[in-house]
């Protein structure tokens, strides 16, 4: 009896017995872990989508979420035929300027989605002292 994993008819069982086979057949994780950065000035998502072309990707904002979807039809690779698809959904911070969102795909397959944050007049993390002014005349408010 051979120690090689069986053919596709018993793929699930073979993956359980021969987990290394998953990488060779393309069943391993499609994407590296995404990186999400939200600092004071902007919100950025970095996503490795090297197996997808710009035509395979759709990025849309719906309510307070950005949805990134990638799908390509079946293609031949070194190990047979493979198709890939993924969906990612991220909540946008409430202070992201949705009218200034952008998305780009680098030559090495890194998708960068970003948007500047709107700066508010009063930053909640800073405190501001309110001076108490002394008035010379008595208050007209009723006393208790």
């Amino acid at each position: 009896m051979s120690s090689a994993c069986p053919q596709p008819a018993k793929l699930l069982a073979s993956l359980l017995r021969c987990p290394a086979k998953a990488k060779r057949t393309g069943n391993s994780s499609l994407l590296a872990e995404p990186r999400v950065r939200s600092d004071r000035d902007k919100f950025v998502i970095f996503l490795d989508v090297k197996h997808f072309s710009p035509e395979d990707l759709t990025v849309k904002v719906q309510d307070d979420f950005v949805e990134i979807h990638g799908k390509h039809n079946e293609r031949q690779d070194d190990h047979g035929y493979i198709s890939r698809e993924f969906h990612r959904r991220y909540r946008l911070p409430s202070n992201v300027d949705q009218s200034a969102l952008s998305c780009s795909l680098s030559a090495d397959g890194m998708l960068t989605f970003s948007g500047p944050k709107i700066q508010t007049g009063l930053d909640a993390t800073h405190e501001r002292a309110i001076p108490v002014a002394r008035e010379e005349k008595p208050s007209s408010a009723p006393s208790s």
Side-chain angles (χ1 to χ4, degrees):
M1 185 165 197
S2 168
S3 65
C5 291
Q7 293 300 315
K10 300 197 186 238
L11 181 61
L12 181 58
S14 71
L15 290 175
L16 293 173
R17 286 193 305 269
C18 302
K21 184 79 172 168
K23 280 190 174 184
R24 288 181 285 163
T25 60
N27 289 330
S28 63
S29 174
L30 292 177
L31 309 170
E33 281 299 312
R35 291 184 323 220
V36 178
R37 190 179 81 216
S38 184
D39 58 29
R40 183 177 182 185
D41 299 322
K42 70 179 172 176
F43 175 76
V44 185
I45 300 168
F46 300 100
L47 192 59
D48 179 359
V49 294
K50 66 183 167 217
H51 297 293
F52 299 88
S53 66
E55 299 79 33
D56 298 333
L57 299 166
T58 57
V59 179
K60 65 181 178 180
V61 174
Q62 187 170 10
D63 299 322
D64 292 336
F65 291 90
V66 58
E67 296 180 13
I68 303 171
H69 176 235
K71 181 179 181 177
H72 73 67
N73 294 327
E74 192 172 86
R75 307 178 179 163
Q76 188 168 8
D77 68 4
D78 295 341
H79 308 286
Y81 291 88
I82 189 165
S83 62
R84 293 180 177 92
E85 182 172 8
F86 74 92
H87 293 268
R88 295 269 186 188
R89 189 170 179 231
Y90 303 92
R91 180 181 294 279
L92 293 171
S94 61
N95 60 341
V96 167
D97 182 357
Q98 291 195 18
S99 67
L101 296 173
S102 66
C103 192
S104 64
L105 181 61
S106 68
D108 63 346
M110 185 62 65
L111 183 80
T112 304
F113 173 89
S114 64
K117 289 188 176 177
I118 299 167
Q119 297 302 314
T120 59
L122 296 176
D123 198 345
T125 60
H126 294 88
E127 68 180 48
R128 182 172 68 113
I130 308 296
V132 178
R134 179 179 292 270
E135 293 183 10
E136 296 301 320
K137 61 181 183 174
S139 170
S140 60
S143 59
S144 38

